[in-house]
Amino acid sequence: MSEPQASKRLPAASISTDGITRTFWIAIALAGTSAAYAVSGARDLVYDGSFYLLGIASHGAFQLFEPGRVSVQLLQQGFAVIGTRLGIHDLWTLGRLFSLGASGWPIVLTALCWFVLPRAEKSWIVGPLVNLVFAIPATSFIGIGEGVIASCLLWLAFLLAWFRMDRSWGALATIVAAIACAFSHESAMLCLVLIAALAASRVRNARGFVRAAAIVAAVVTAAGAFYMLRWIVFPRSATERSDFLVSLLGGFLGTTRAPNLCALASVAVAAAILLSQNRRFRAAAAGLCLAVLVLLLLFLVAMPGDTIAPSRFFAARGLPVALTTLIAFVFLLMKRRGVSPAQFANLPLLAVLLGLSVFQPLAQAIMTENWNAYVHDLRGVVSSRHGTVTHTDAMHALDANGARFRRELLESWSVEPLSIVLAPHGHVTAVVEPAPMARWTPYHLDDPAALPRAPGLDWSGFASVQR
């Protein structure tokens, strides 16, 4: 005779953890697919990406412009640098390798967090999951977004220091992750302090190698926090610091004319999750939230040219590290009180979290599709013109309808290096100028000595138009 059905039931916490697990791996799979599509279109050449790529191709070396972000830049540029040293000179191929580093590492590092967590602690994977589906999509369309990879490194180091310092392999892995985080991003300072305190708390009860490793990890992250403080107090760019602060104060949400739909979707889901903790509002909050996600997606599909605002994604670049730091601190408070994320998980909460896990990759795919169309048309311009293509001419040829998406990209200085990357088979015959209002222009087209001299480029057919 079979056992009573009640005796076969799993504890509610176990069921909730299973739901979080399934949602996490669905999110990883969908985000990975979306990232692969972005890599195929070399989407991370947007904004600074194409400039970095030309530097890599010209020198065959890393372009480490930000002293406080060395580890992240090594990861972002690593595949492209390896490609140049293996003799790859085709810029579009190198662009895809560059995009593989920028878009691929966040998926890999987030997935690694799952394997760091012990079996009984898997519900804490909700932290990296929130970063993956709430914060990263809101800022992913900027090419060089060091905060994205930095936040993933911080989660890896935090979970290692929290759960794996009692093992030799975990202690060694914590040191490696701590070193990477110490040179990841200026905004990581507070989270580095948190990780240093966590590692220091392990010293008293540890022995031998594990104790020494805990001391090293604590010293490295504390030193890293002071190093980051130096770049906050004395930044490489004062403009960068002020823009960064504005982004954290709500600039990442955008405006009615230039919205960040990915950030708005995250806010809608966050509100629904809070309401789902009240039994009376759970079903209504979840249903309303899912309806909002559908409407935002339809809005994006219907008017991508006016709803994709690259500048809003740039404004959200501080979000991943800031949210990671906040959630990590809250997690420590929860652990001290004996509370785990599984205790808050319920069906409506998991439903809206899954909805966001689906929405964000779809939104990213739509943005990649519009990027591909822009690149295709820009490639057509530089293939059919000769000399310097003025900003006015480029706007007439590429943005006749006045769509915000293309206007923002064409006004940026980054259109100049991107148009060079897109030269057919590396034969440069035309280069597009940015808008006159652009704060900086990387290359002076009337000065041959200032032009990038990558092995894959041939400038013999280019003649700057003198006006």
Side-chain angles (χ1 to χ4, degrees):
M1 190 172 178
S2 62
E3 298 179 8
Q5 188 66 28
S7 66
K8 295 183 180 181
R9 292 176 182 171
L10 294 173
S14 176
I15 295 173
S16 298
T17 300
D18 289 343
I20 293 172
T21 296
R22 284 191 291 269
T23 303
F24 174 77
W25 285 112
I26 290 172
I28 286 288
L30 293 176
T33 302
S34 175
Y37 185 35
V39 170
S40 70
R43 200 183 82 173
D44 293 289
L45 293 183
V46 68
Y47 284 142
D48 293 10
S50 52
F51 176 69
Y52 273 74
L53 179 70
L54 286 174
I56 293 169
S58 298
H59 305 289
F62 291 97
Q63 305 298 293
L64 305 178
F65 297 113
E66 297 285 354
R69 309 174 188 179
V70 172
S71 62
V72 172
Q73 293 191 336
L74 289 175
L75 290 174
Q76 285 177 326
Q77 302 173 35
F79 295 117
V81 171
I82 292 172
T84 61
R85 295 182 179 180
L86 291 177
I88 298 175
H89 300 313
D90 179 71
L91 291 176
W92 189 248
T93 301
L94 291 176
R96 284 174 166 168
L97 290 173
F98 180 86
S99 198
L100 177 62
S103 293
W105 279 115
I107 309 300
V108 173
L109 292 172
T110 302
L112 284 176
C113 290
W114 166 263
F115 299 101
V116 167
L117 288 167
R119 185 183 299 274
E121 307 287 357
K122 292 297 186 183
S123 66
W124 298 101
I125 197 62
V126 74
L129 172 60
V130 166
N131 186 45
L132 180 67
V133 300
F134 279 79
I136 290 177
T139 186
S140 60
F141 193 52
I142 60 174
I144 299 292
E146 291 96 340
V148 170
I149 295 180
S151 65
C152 299
L153 287 172
L154 288 170
W155 270 117
L156 192 61
F158 175 77
L159 294 178
L160 281 166
W162 198 12
F163 292 110
R164 293 300 188 180
M165 285 293 292
D166 59 337
R167 305 286 184 90
S168 295
W169 69 266
L172 182 59
T174 303
I175 293 175
V176 174
I179 293 173
C181 289
F183 299 92
S184 60
H185 201 282
E186 303 94 294
S187 63
M189 185 189 73
L190 293 178
C191 200
L192 285 170
V193 172
L194 202 62
I195 296 171
L198 198 56
S201 69
R202 299 286 185 264
V203 174
R204 179 180 299 178
N205 299 322
R207 295 290 183 272
F209 174 76
V210 171
R211 187 171 189 270
I215 294 173
V216 171
V219 170
V220 166
T221 45
F226 280 107
Y227 180 66
M228 295 307 175
L229 179 62
R230 178 257 184 269
W231 293 109
I232 292 174
V233 177
F234 303 105
R236 192 180 70 88
S237 167
T239 301
E240 167 72 14
R241 179 174 61 182
S242 62
D243 289 349
F244 191 84
L245 291 175
V246 170
S247 74
L248 291 180
L249 296 175
F252 63 89
L253 292 174
T255 64
T256 53
R257 293 186 177 183
N260 186 333
L261 296 186
C262 292
L264 292 173
S266 296
V267 170
V269 171
I273 288 175
L274 291 175
L275 290 173
S276 72
Q277 300 310 310
N278 188 314
R279 291 180 180 274
R280 292 180 298 174
F281 302 127
R282 282 180 183 177
L288 179 61
C289 179
L290 292 175
V292 169
L293 292 182
V294 172
L295 287 175
L296 289 176
L297 190 62
L298 291 174
F299 194 40
L300 182 59
V301 171
M303 297 184 295
D306 292 319
T307 54
I308 303 174
S311 60
R312 295 304 90 203
F313 289 88
F314 186 76
R317 63 196 183 281
L319 193 59
V321 172
L323 190 60
T324 291
T325 303
L326 177 61
I327 295 177
F329 179 72
V330 171
F331 274 10
L332 290 179
L333 295 180
M334 290 171 59
K335 188 71 169 177
R336 290 187 63 180
R337 297 187 177 188
V339 178
S340 77
Q343 295 175 237
F344 297 95
N346 52 66
L347 187 58
L349 182 151
L350 293 174
V352 296
L353 194 56
L354 181 60
L356 187 64
S357 300
V358 174
F359 171 88
Q360 300 288 27
L362 288 176
Q364 295 295 317
I366 293 170
M367 288 187 280
T368 300
E369 182 180 359
N370 281 268
W371 161 260
N372 290 342
Y374 167 71
V375 166
H376 176 271
D377 293 346
L378 181 58
R379 182 181 277 115
V381 168
V382 298
S383 300
S384 60
R385 306 291 181 94
H386 293 276
T388 302
V389 180
T390 67
H391 172 67
T392 301
D393 289 343
M395 291 293 290
H396 284 309
L398 298 171
D399 191 27
N401 297 324
R404 173 175 293 276
F405 173 70
R406 293 199 173 192
R407 181 172 73 254
E408 288 192 5
L409 294 178
L410 289 169
E411 288 177 348
S412 168
W413 62 265
S414 62
V415 69
E416 185 185 59
L418 180 60
S419 65
I420 296 172
V421 171
L422 296 177
H425 307 293
H427 298 289
V428 184
T429 59
V431 178
V432 177
E433 281 187 329
M437 68 183 73
R439 291 186 293 186
W440 178 68
T441 302
Y443 307 116
H444 300 289
L445 301 179
D446 55 354
D447 181 8
L451 301 177
R453 298 293 176 177
L457 288 176
D458 176 11
W459 288 92
S460 61
F462 177 78
S464 178
V465 176
Q466 304 296 323
R467 297 185 302 276

